[in-house]
């Protein structure tokens, strides 16, 4: 579903991604782990062209999205993204946040959008909050709205960039539960996270990035029990 061929990203004099290659199958849940500043967000953002790789190519469903002629809006419609800082529309209530893009981008009717929106909000456990505004919600509730909002576009791929890093500890679990449910539906997911238990239990594969390179890429059990490189061993020794 996603094929990354030797991408690099240069910001000024700084090469942030160095010849990364990988591929991700339909339905796979991949977690991206690595030290702060190692290029995880930049890599994730290249997958929906929030950043353009300086060199190399990315194919999604056979379409070369790094081709300058690609319709970026069309690509992004099929890829949902959830950020650390929620990015909800503060002046819209929860249901409006979730239905806005389906109505304006997918051009579906208000009634149909609200039906889909209410169904998604029920799945993330927020049926009783549809008329609340983001400012009235906890961080965990906001992040669940953000997930429902991304899903309302019926994406094929979901990208998550540290979705629980801005949350108080007691709210992390409710968001991870929603992500785990989503993984069980067969959604293709790429998740940058520091939640090692989630990576261990839910992901099919771990990609360990350090200094802009993929250092290890394996199933979570192998990665957490017998990392091969000193860099991965060192990283794990600091966080586990
Ligand atoms: P991570 O998500 O692993 O913490 P990032 O991908 O955010 O790492 O950043 C990797 C490196 O790229 C960092 O040194 C960061 O400062 C740099 N960087 C990220 N985005 C930009 C940008 N837009 N302009 C310049 N440097 C950037
Ligand atoms: Mg980051």
């Amino acid at each position: 579903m996603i094929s990354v061929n030797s991408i690099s990203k240069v910001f000024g004099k700084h090469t942030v991604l160095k010849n990364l290659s990988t591929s991700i199958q339909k339905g796979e849940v991949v977690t991206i782990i690595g030290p702060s500043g190692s290029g995880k967000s930049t890599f994730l953002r290249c997958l929906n062209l929030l950043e353009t790789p300086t060199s190399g190519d990315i194919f999604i469903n056979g379409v070369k999205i790094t081709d300058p002629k690609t319709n970026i809006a069309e690509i992004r419609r099929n890829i949902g993204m959830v950020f650390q800082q929620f990015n909800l529309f503060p002046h819209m209530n929860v249901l409006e946040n979730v239905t806005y893009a389906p109505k304006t981008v997918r051009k579906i009717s208000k009634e149909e959008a609200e039906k889909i929106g209410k169904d998604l909000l029920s799945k993330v456990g927020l049926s009783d909050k549809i008329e609340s505004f983001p400012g009235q919600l906890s961080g965990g509730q906001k992040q669940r709205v953000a997930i429902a909002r991304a899903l309302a576009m019926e994406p094929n791929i979901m990208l998550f960039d540290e979705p629980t890093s801005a949350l108080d500890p007691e709210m992390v679990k409710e968001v991870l539960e929603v992500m785990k449910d989503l993984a069980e539906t067969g959604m293709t997911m790429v998740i940058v996270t520091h939640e090692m238990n989630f990576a261990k239990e839910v992901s099919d594969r771990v990609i360990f990035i350090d200094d802009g390179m993929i250092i290890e890429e394996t199933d979570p059990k192998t990665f957490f029990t017998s990392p091969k490189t000193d860099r991965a061993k060192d990283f794990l020794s600091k966080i586990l």
Side-chain angles (χ1 to χ4, degrees), residues 88-138:
L88 297 178
F89 306 121
H91 58 293
M92 291 183 195
N93 74 24
V94 164
L95 187 61
E96 288 162 348
N97 261 279
V98 173
T99 57
Y100 179 74
K103 284 187 293 192
T104 55
V105 182
R106 285 175 67 206
K107 312 269 188 224
I108 65 177
S109 71
K110 183 168 186 276
E111 292 69 31
E112 179 69 4
E114 290 189 350
K115 189 168 163 287
I116 295 168
K118 284 176 182 168
D119 183 47
L120 286 166
L121 287 164
S122 145
K123 286 194 176 124
V124 301
L126 290 174
S127 290
D128 56 336
K129 296 287 179 194
I130 62 175
E131 289 180 3
S132 300
F133 283 82
Q136 300 168 312
L137 302 177
S138 71

Side-chain angles (χ1 to χ4, degrees), residues 11-216:
F11 287 117
K13 286 183 185 161
H14 190 177
T15 303
V16 171
L17 298 179
K18 301 169 184 168
N19 291 315
L20 265 74
S21 297
T22 190
S23 54
I24 295 170
Q25 311 304 313
K26 189 173 190 309
E28 228 187 334
V29 177
V30 175
T31 44
I32 299 182
I33 290 171
S36 180
S38 59
K40 304 179 299 296
S41 295
T42 305
F43 173 69
L44 199 68
R45 291 162 63 83
C46 283
L47 298 180
N48 66 354
L49 297 180
L50 284 177
E51 299 289 358
T52 312
T54 308
S55 61
D57 288 310
I58 300 174
F59 293 81
I60 293 186
N61 288 323
V63 176
K64 187 176 175 179
I65 67 163
T66 40
D67 187 322
K69 292 194 286 285
T70 301
N71 180 344
I72 296 180
E74 178 66 30
I75 300 297
R76 289 212 191 118
R77 260 162 89 152
N78 295 316
I79 305 178
M81 182 141 181
V82 174
F83 303 88
Q84 187 174 332
Q85 295 298 342
F86 327 122
N87 298 356
L88 297 178
F89 306 121
H91 58 293
M92 291 183 195
N93 74 24
V94 164
L95 187 61
E96 288 162 348
N97 261 279
V98 173
T99 57
Y100 179 74
K103 284 187 293 192
T104 55
V105 182
R106 285 175 67 206
K107 312 269 188 224
I108 65 177
S109 71
K110 183 168 186 276
E111 292 69 31
E112 179 69 4
E114 290 189 350
K115 189 168 163 287
I116 295 168
K118 284 176 182 168
D119 183 47
L120 286 166
L121 287 164
S122 145
K123 286 194 176 124
V124 301
L126 290 174
S127 290
D128 56 336
K129 296 287 179 194
I130 62 175
E131 289 180 3
S132 300
F133 283 82
Q136 300 168 312
L137 302 177
S138 71
Q141 290 168 337
K142 281 186 222 179
Q143 197 57 300
R144 287 184 283 145
V145 174
I147 293 171
R149 183 177 63 172
L151 292 173
M153 288 298 284
E154 300 191 340
N156 313 120
I157 299 168
M158 283 284 286
L159 309 177
F160 295 84
D161 193 355
E162 298 196 30
T164 60
S165 294
L167 302 178
D168 290 333
E170 72 271 24
M171 288 164 193
V172 169
K173 198 169 158 225
E174 67 194 47
V175 171
L176 293 179
E177 282 298 322
V178 165
M179 292 170 62
K180 192 172 168 205
D181 290 347
L182 184 59
E184 282 165 6
T185 68
M187 177 63 78
T188 307
M189 297 165 70
V190 187
I191 306 158
V192 175
T193 187
H194 295 295
E195 293 295 329
M196 296 302 144
N197 284 325
F198 180 87
K200 257 184 233 171
E201 286 160 24
V202 181
S203 65
D204 299 305
R205 181 149 50 107
V206 171
I207 294 179
F208 174 67
I209 294 185
D210 193 10
D211 193 23
M213 293 178 282
I214 295 179
I215 306 295
E216 295 200 26

Side-chain angles (χ1 to χ4, degrees), residues 218-233:
T218 183
D219 66 280
K221 186 163 181 283
T222 305
F223 180 74
F224 288 106
T225 58
S226 43
K228 285 183 197 63
T229 59
D230 287 343
R231 287 205 216 185
K233 283 177 199 163

